[in-house]
Each structure stands twice: as structure tokens, then as C-alpha cells.
Amino acid sequence: MLEKLDMKKKLSKADYNAVMDELGERLGQVQRMAREAKKPIIIVFEGWRGARRSAIINTMMQQMDARGFDVYSTVRMSEEEHNQPFFTFFWQHLPALGNIAVYHRSWYYLKTANEVACKEGNASCCQFISYDHINTFEKMLTDDNYIILKYFLHLSNNQQKENIAKNAKTLGKAWRDVSPAIDESDKYEEYLERYEKMLEATDKVNAPWHLIAADDRRSAEIEIITSIVETVEKAVNTPVAAPAAVIRPNTKYDVLGKINATQELSKEDYKKELDKYQKRLKQLQIEMFKAQIPTVICFEGWDAAGKGGAIRRLTAALDPLGFSVHPVSAPNVVERQFHYLWRFWVHLPEPGNIAIFDRTWYGRVMVERIEGFAKDYEWQRAYDEIKDMELQWAEHGFAIAKFWLQIDSDEQLRRFNDRQNDPMKQWKITEEDWRNREKWDAYEEAVNEMLVRTDTSYAPWTVVEGNNKYFARLKVLKTIVDLFEKKLGK
Amino acid sequence: MLEKLDMKKKLSKADYNAVMDELGERLGQVQRMAREAKKPIIIVFEGWRGARRSAIINTMMQQMDARGFDVYSTVRMSEEEHNQPFFTFFWQHLPALGNIAVYHRSWYYLKTANEVACKEGNASCCQFISYDHINTFEKMLTDDNYIILKYFLHLSNNQQKENIAKNAKTLGKAWRDVSPAIDESDKYEEYLERYEKMLEATDKVNAPWHLIAADDRRSAEIEIITSIVETVEKAVNTPVAAPAAVIRPNTKYDVLGKINATQELSKEDYKKELDKYQKRLKQLQIEMFKAQIPTVICFEGWDAAGKGGAIRRLTAALDPLGFSVHPVSAPNVVERQFHYLWRFWVHLPEPGNIAIFDRTWYGRVMVERIEGFAKDYEWQRAYDEIKDMELQWAEHGFAIAKFWLQIDSDEQLRRFNDRQNDPMKQWKITEEDWRNREKWDAYEEAVNEMLVRTDTSYAPWTVVEGNNKYFARLKVLKTIVDLFEKKLGK
């Protein structure tokens, strides 16, 4: 693709100034338009070393409001950030609605740098993100009305050498000294091939590459800013159309109907077993920490199914420095400014730690589906989005357990009434619980579909028979013990 | 203080269980009460190694809702967190309104650990936080209705040795293996003296120490949880009284009245000088980065005084990877859940970086004072709080510049009218600007007091004559160039 570019373009300083005067004003304008329209914008600058990304970003900043305009660079990531699943850094720095995030070297450079470091024997771990994951990541965002603008700044080999030499003279570039980006100038052909492959694999209709002939900085700047202005203007002025209907599986699944939620376990047996598994878990937590394996444990289930109690029996066994519990309810006003998966990515466990989610991202295909908080095409595509997210974590080495705590409708009613009638427990039950109960059938359908479609080899669902709390708590503990042992190769 | 404790206390398992049954329920209850009352609670566990902090925290967690209950530990801080100003980590992990944060080893341990590392030659930097700063930090929070509960878990030397040996046997404690806490058992007397000094220096009426005889874990747990329950119950049920009136300086200051906001500078001279200072600044940014000195630059001034333009001329000279601009407006719904200084602490610059604030924490003593968003006693104590914050940054090595952009009232009117009449500029002016303008005199009084009372050797105010934008922008650049050169010892 790159070889088709016209590298001879030139723009005089006078012509540049003449154009930039008006163009700069328009850039400021479209920023305000995007803010007004609550469109989040992602701008990616990739390309050769020496392509003067910083200068271009600087020119842009002169025209724009600093409010809601942020610049991030993967050359400045910390070691801890490098140790997280690939996209974590980018999730953490996603623009909120109406804001602009500029990535001075993005996921593309990060992938390349990881691969080069590995090839040269400088990497502790040689696991690479696939272009599929990159495409999925971008698709998920553009599906959610993010605008993604990707610029590849192309330099000829000669011009690159010239630029690098010039940069080195101006006292060195401090940031590049600390963590220098790859200098491709001596292996230009090799990298050209690599970049070509990257571009062809990720040039997609929803997030196409803008290939920029950057030997001449001035024409490159004009080209880039013009394209930003025109794309954003168009995007803001084009009404968002609902996507075409998706193909829905018309099988009715019935996972829950086959579960006998009532299982027997006496209190004495429970106490004995509980003690045994808690002790085992305590030890395994330490081993998981030493092996630096992160764990995600998800709890879903009917209201009053015993999620809280199961979590407490689990955490009772754990060192409080090594886990955190994230209770999930309706997104707050800040969380609503982002893609719905954002608030989970920012709470991933550090290496060796355990993140426990009390309700999860599966709300998208349950409550949001049933209450209409997500449009049909939104929750319908969520199965794919969620599976891709969990796959990324699994590929990064995460241990993942997902529990559905199952009770039958009669049992729920009994527990609701108990709560209602006991002054010490009344705080546990709300009008909303009763309202949700009326929608039992709709939830059952949604849960059945979820349990089938998101049950994967790397993140399987465990349905827990929950009418007997003792049995349920033990099954949760046992499942986690098994998972840890498997992960540790025991 | 510690030697007065009764270390012989003992509680049988049966007695412990009998008490804990009811106490546990009450603990859950007071958590809900505190949430309801929007009281944030900070619980600090300090004391000897081996005092079984984790076990106590675990017992608490069994009774409490994970929602809004978080545990942090200074033994798990990353190197980057260690490189920030002392209290940054704690600000970042402050509980929101109604939430509980538990510090398993807090600022007290961090101070001790820093000092011990330094004494043993294991520290790269031997700067210590003073007990004064610790007391100020706690006072600022309790003034803002945070509840702070500080527990010192005291062990006899024998019991400590026994506990440590026992811990070591149970497969080692993973977290302690990675970054082991100080083992004081061989220098018990020396540490006893150190802890005594710490306790006596920081035992204050607003945040007293609870000294706990912890040789017997069961009685210690009961004592701690009882004290949490009783303190929170009392705090929630006691109406918050406004503090006694503060002594106000009755001098009327007149800094602004002595400023001649009109200074001459021609466009040609400006262009020449601008170019010179921008080039110098570009170079100095790199040197500041190499020296890893963080910078905070504050912009305050009248509406339309030219803050945005000055910031753009400044950032035009800077590498975008090395700075960020933080525009500050009314706190959002999340920010309102915290102490008013929280949102600034979480945006401090990393070592070598520049954080530019377009409006700042000084809003507390200007707009919040004038509009009544802060009560009298709140903004009146803010001078102290702000000075203490800036002093901490300065002691940590920060470069700090604070600008007040001054224009006179006629000039503001001219600029407002310009904006109103130019379709391209109308977005810059709002009804609120006009309303603020009507309160010019009240603002002038507040600004005068602020400029006098928060003008310090470590964070001085620069008043910038702003009627001529060229002059103002240059003065800002020059001041920053001077600051950087001074910091770099030039």
C-alpha cells in the first residue's frame, strides 16, 4: 500500500500558512462540535521513527481546547502497565463521550515493539496480540459510535535518516533517550514489509488507515488536519443509523430447567469440608501469587441466590492484601461516559492478585437486555465482545471462573419473605427485587442464552445449585480450588 | 504510652464467639449507617510485625458489605508510587463519601520504612515527611467530617517472635516475601522507642491512637471492632457542629490596585522574544526531564484575562509527551464525593513531567468563597491546607509556578463585547461570565487576600499585567524559564 504514495509532494511555507489559518479555526470548531454531539474521538499516529508525530500533535494543540484533549504514548508505559493484558492501557486511557484521545504510537507500535523485543531476545515473555484482537477492539469502539482516525506517517529511507540525525542534534529527545523507539532506518526494507502487513491486516471499513506521505512535514500536517476536520464534521452531521438486524439463534436453550437446584448437605459435613477447602485455598492463593497468575472470579445469579454469602466464605480464606471485591450495580455518571466494558478493564487484578466481581459485564445481556437499557443490536453483539475480552485475559494467562447461582422461584420467594419479615434483614430487599421477580421468565430466557453462548474452554460457566446454601458455597470453593490447581499444573 | 497497656488480657474462644455474634451484626449495621449518613471512614492498622493485621481485617470483612469497603497496604506500593509526593498514594485511595478505606500499614509505616531504609543505606533519597504534615493531613480530613480510626497493635517481644515464627511456617506469607515489612523483633527496644515517639507526636484529639494489647488476638479483635462500632455510631448520631469562628485578618490587602495592567510591547518585539524563549524552554524541558524534576504550573485570573492564550504559547514550545493540561471547572459528581483537594492530587505530574492547571485549587478561596459553595470556616481554613499541600510538593522537589493574570475591568468589558459580537468567538462567552463580572469587587477582595496569604518562598505568585496579551504571554514564559534555570542550578 505504501509504495503507491506520492512522496514528492511539497508545500511552501507561505501556502502552508495560508491554508493553516482557516484550517486551524475549523479544527477548534469541530472539537466543539464533537463535544456537543458527545462523540468520542480516537486519533492514532503511527509510522516511521523521525516522522515528527510530536510536531504535528503540537500544531493541533495550538488550535484546540485542552479540555477533553489528551495525548498518550506507548513509549512512556511503565513496566506495570506492560505486565497487564495488552489493551488495558488503552482502556484506561479511552476518551470519554465528546473527548479526544491522541495516541502518539498506539497498540500498533506496542505490538511491533513487543515482537521486535522478543525476536532480539529482550523480552521476558513472547506472547503477542493478534490483528484479530486489534480489529475487534476497534470494531467494538466504532460500533459504539467512537470515531477512530488512524494515520500512518510514511517516510522514505533517506528522509528518515535525515530526520533522525536532525533530532539527535537538538540535544537529543529526552523521552526517546529514556525508552527509545525502534530505529528502523538500517533495516528499512525489512520494516517496510512488516508495516505493509500490519496495514493490510487492519485497514477496515470502520477504521481505515490514512496513509500520509510525510517526507514533507507541511503537506503532511495539512493533509492530516484536513482529514480530521472533514471526518469529524461528517460524522457529527450524519445521523447514527441502527445497524442491520443480526442473525439470532432461534433455538430456545434450557440450561436452568435441567438443573436440580436442591442438593443435600448437612451442616456438620459443610463445616468440615468448608474448613478443609478454605485451608487449601489459603495455600493456593500464595502459590498463585508466587506464580504471578492473576485471577478473575465472576458471580452472577438470581436475587437472593446467595452471592454475598458465597463471596464471604471465599474471602474468609484469603489474605486481604491479595484480592479485591468489586460490587457492580448500574453505571454511575462517569462510567456512563465510556464504553460499557470500560469500568471492568480498569479494575483488572495485578499479577498474582484476585479480582472478585459481584455481578459483572454480563449485565449487558441480562438486565440491560430485559430493561431495554441496551438496544437490541447492542446486547446482541455483546456476546462476541465479552468473549473476545475474556479470551484476551485468558491468553494473557488469567485464571477465570464464572458462577451462576441458581435457585428456583419458590426458594427465592421464601428468601424474599424472610428478608421482608426480619428487621435485621430488611435492608437487603428493595422494591426493585420484587419488580425483577415479576420478570422471572424473561430473565430465564436471557440467562439460558448467556450460559450457552459465553461458555468457553477458557472461561467456562459453573452453574451452582443454590437452594441449599451450604452446598452452593462449597461448590464455589471446590471449583476455585480445582481451577487454581489446574493453573499451577498440579 | 505503650508500657501502660495490660498485656495479660485473655479471651476464651467461647467468650469470643459469644461476643462476636452480636458484634458482627452491629459492624454490618454501622457500615450501612455510615453509608446512609455519607460519612467516609478511614481505619489505620499499625503496630508490630506479626500482629495479625490481616486476620483482623478478614474478620471484619466477614461482617461487612464489600461495596465501598477497600483495603490498601503500603507494603504493596509500586516503585512509581514511591516516587511521588508522600501522601499521593493515600489521596489516590481516599474513601468516597459513605465508604470505608482500611490501611493495612499506612502513612505511619511508610514514614518508618523510609527512615529505616535510609539509615541502612537502602534508599535512593532520604527525605522524610514530618509528623506535622501527618497531623495536618489527618486534621484536614477530620475537619471535612472524615472519621479516622488509628489502631496500634502492640505485641510483647516474646509474642512477636512466636507469631513471626508461626507465620514463616505456614508456607511463608507471599506478600511479605515479595516486599517484607520490617522485622523489629531483634531490635525490639530500639523500635519501641521509635514507635513511642511516633505515637506521642500524632495522638491528637481529632484522630487519637487506639492502643491495643494484641498478644491475645481474640481480645484484640473484640476491642477493635467494638471501638469501630461505637465510634461510628456516635459520629453518625452526633450532629456536625460548625467550628468556632476563625480569627480573620482585618487588614484589607490591595495587591491588584497597585498593578498597572497596561504594559507596552510591540508585535515585532513580541515575535522575536517569543521565539527566543520558546526555544529556550524546549531545551529546559528536556533538562528538567533528565533531572526528573516534576513541575506544577497554575493559571488563575479574571475571565477573558488570556489564560488559554498564555497556556498555548507555553505548550507550543513543549514536547507533548512531557506535559498535560488540566482544565478545572466545577467538580463533577464523582469529585464531589471526596475532599476538595482530592482531584488535584490524583493529577500530579510524574517525575520530569509538567502539569499545567487552567484554574486550580484556589477556586476554594475565590468562587467557592464568593458563591457560598464553601462555608466560611471551610474556605477560611483552606489557606493553611493549600499551603501545606504546596509545601509538601516543594519539599519533594517540585518546581511550582503560580500566575494571576490581571486585566482591568474596562479591558474585560472590551474583550467580553468582542466575543459577544464575533460569531467565531461567541462560544467563549456565557451568561455566567457576565454574572461573575457583576461581582468584580467581591472577587477583587478575595484575590487580594489569596495573593498575599498564599504567596510563599516555595510557591510564589506572579501577577501578570495582562491588558497587552503579548506582554503577558512573554512574562509567563520568562518566569517559567527563570524557574527552570533556578531549579537546574544555572
Side-chain angles (χ1 to χ4, degrees), chain A residues 13-38:
Chain A
K13 191 163 182 182
D15 286 349
Y16 170 87
N17 285 339
V19 179
M20 193 53 98
D21 247 17
E22 195 217 324
L23 192 58
E25 289 228 330
R26 283 177 69 199
L27 185 63
Q29 259 176 318
V30 299
Q31 180 186 20
R32 294 191 290 279
M33 286 167 65
R35 186 182 300 153
E36 193 83 8
K38 301 201 171 206

Coordinates of all heavy atoms in Angstrom, one line a residue, chain A residues 13-38:
Chain A
K13 N 6.1 27.4 2.6 CA 5.7 27.9 3.9 C 4.5 28.9 3.8 O 3.6 28.9 4.6 CB 6.9 28.6 4.6 CG 6.7 29.0 6.0 CD 8.0 29.3 6.8 CE 7.6 29.6 8.2 NZ 8.8 29.9 9.0
A14 N 4.6 29.7 2.7 CA 3.5 30.6 2.5 C 2.2 29.9 2.3 O 1.1 30.3 2.8 CB 3.8 31.5 1.3
D15 N 2.2 28.9 1.4 CA 1.0 28.2 1.1 C 0.5 27.5 2.4 O -0.7 27.5 2.7 CB 1.2 27.1 0.0 CG 1.3 27.7 -1.3 OD1 1.0 28.9 -1.4 OD2 1.8 27.0 -2.3
Y16 N 1.4 26.9 3.2 CA 1.1 26.2 4.4 C 0.3 27.2 5.3 O -0.7 26.9 5.8 CB 2.3 25.7 5.1 CG 2.2 25.2 6.5 CD1 1.8 23.9 6.7 CD2 2.4 26.0 7.6 CE1 1.6 23.4 8.0 CE2 2.3 25.5 8.9 CZ 1.9 24.2 9.1 OH 1.7 23.8 10.4
N17 N 1.0 28.4 5.5 CA 0.4 29.4 6.4 C -1.0 29.8 6.0 O -1.9 30.0 6.8 CB 1.3 30.6 6.6 CG 2.5 30.3 7.5 OD1 2.4 29.4 8.3 ND2 3.5 31.1 7.3
A18 N -1.1 30.0 4.7 CA -2.4 30.5 4.1 C -3.5 29.5 4.4 O -4.6 29.8 4.9 CB -2.3 30.7 2.6
V19 N -3.2 28.2 4.2 CA -4.2 27.2 4.4 C -4.5 27.0 6.0 O -5.6 26.9 6.4 CB -3.8 25.8 3.9 CG1 -4.8 24.7 4.1 CG2 -3.5 25.9 2.4
M20 N -3.4 27.0 6.7 CA -3.5 26.6 8.1 C -4.3 27.6 8.9 O -5.0 27.3 9.9 CB -2.1 26.5 8.8 CG -2.1 25.8 10.1 SD -2.9 24.2 10.2 CE -1.5 23.1 10.0
D21 N -4.3 28.9 8.5 CA -5.0 29.9 9.2 C -6.5 29.5 9.3 O -7.0 29.6 10.4 CB -4.9 31.2 8.3 CG -4.1 32.3 9.1 OD1 -3.4 31.9 10.1 OD2 -4.2 33.4 8.7
E22 N -7.1 29.2 8.2 CA -8.5 28.8 8.3 C -8.7 27.4 8.8 O -9.6 27.2 9.6 CB -9.1 28.9 6.9 CG -10.6 29.0 6.9 CD -11.2 28.2 5.7 OE1 -10.6 28.2 4.6 OE2 -12.2 27.5 5.9
L23 N -7.8 26.5 8.4 CA -7.9 25.1 8.9 C -7.9 25.0 10.4 O -8.6 24.2 11.0 CB -6.8 24.3 8.2 CG -6.9 22.8 8.3 CD1 -8.2 22.3 7.6 CD2 -5.7 22.2 7.6
G24 N -7.0 25.8 11.0 CA -6.8 25.8 12.4 C -8.1 26.1 13.1 O -8.5 25.5 14.1
E25 N -8.8 27.2 12.6 CA -10.1 27.6 13.2 C -11.1 26.5 13.1 O -11.8 26.2 14.0 CB -10.6 28.8 12.5 CG -9.8 30.1 12.8 CD -10.7 31.3 13.3 OE1 -11.8 31.3 12.8 OE2 -10.2 32.1 14.1
R26 N -11.1 25.8 11.9 CA -12.1 24.7 11.8 C -11.8 23.6 12.7 O -12.7 22.9 13.2 CB -12.1 24.3 10.3 CG -12.8 25.2 9.4 CD -12.7 24.8 7.9 NE -13.5 23.6 7.6 CZ -13.3 22.8 6.5 NH1 -12.3 23.1 5.7 NH2 -14.0 21.8 6.3
L27 N -10.5 23.3 13.0 CA -10.2 22.2 13.9 C -10.7 22.5 15.3 O -11.3 21.6 15.9 CB -8.6 22.1 13.9 CG -8.1 20.9 14.8 CD1 -8.6 19.6 14.2 CD2 -6.6 20.9 14.9
G28 N -10.6 23.8 15.7 CA -11.2 24.2 17.0 C -12.7 24.0 17.0 O -13.3 23.5 17.9
Q29 N -13.3 24.3 15.8 CA -14.7 24.2 15.7 C -15.2 22.8 15.8 O -16.2 22.5 16.5 CB -15.1 24.8 14.3 CG -15.7 26.2 14.4 CD -16.0 26.7 13.0 OE1 -15.2 26.4 12.0 NE2 -17.2 27.3 12.8
V30 N -14.5 21.9 15.0 CA -15.0 20.5 15.1 C -14.8 19.9 16.4 O -15.6 19.0 16.8 CB -14.4 19.6 14.0 CG1 -14.8 20.1 12.6 CG2 -12.9 19.4 14.1
Q31 N -13.8 20.3 17.2 CA -13.7 19.8 18.5 C -14.9 20.2 19.4 O -15.4 19.3 20.1 CB -12.4 20.4 19.2 CG -12.2 19.9 20.6 CD -11.1 20.5 21.4 OE1 -10.6 21.6 21.0 NE2 -10.6 19.9 22.4
R32 N -15.4 21.4 19.2 CA -16.6 21.8 19.9 C -17.8 21.1 19.4 O -18.7 20.7 20.2 CB -16.7 23.3 19.8 CG -15.6 24.1 20.5 CD -15.9 25.6 20.7 NE -15.9 26.3 19.4 CZ -14.8 26.8 18.8 NH1 -13.6 26.5 19.3 NH2 -14.9 27.4 17.6
M33 N -17.9 20.9 18.1 CA -19.0 20.1 17.6 C -19.0 18.7 18.2 O -20.1 18.2 18.5 CB -18.9 20.0 16.1 CG -19.2 21.2 15.3 SD -18.6 21.1 13.6 CE -19.7 19.8 13.0
A34 N -17.9 18.0 18.2 CA -17.8 16.7 18.7 C -18.2 16.6 20.2 O -18.9 15.7 20.6 CB -16.4 16.1 18.5
R35 N -17.8 17.6 20.9 CA -18.1 17.7 22.4 C -19.6 17.8 22.5 O -20.2 17.1 23.3 CB -17.4 18.8 23.0 CG -17.6 18.8 24.5 CD -16.9 20.0 25.2 NE -15.5 20.0 25.0 CZ -14.8 21.1 24.9 NH1 -15.3 22.3 25.2 NH2 -13.5 21.0 24.7
E36 N -20.2 18.7 21.7 CA -21.6 19.0 21.8 C -22.4 17.7 21.4 O -23.3 17.3 22.1 CB -21.9 20.0 20.7 CG -23.3 20.6 20.7 CD -23.4 21.7 21.8 OE1 -22.3 22.1 22.3 OE2 -24.5 22.2 22.0
A37 N -21.9 17.0 20.4 CA -22.6 15.8 19.9 C -22.2 14.5 20.8 O -22.6 13.4 20.5 CB -22.2 15.5 18.5
K38 N -21.3 14.7 21.8 CA -20.9 13.6 22.7 C -20.2 12.5 21.9 O -20.4 11.3 22.2 CB -22.0 13.1 23.5 CG -22.7 14.2 24.4 CD -23.4 13.6 25.5 CE -23.8 14.7 26.5 NZ -24.1 14.3 27.8

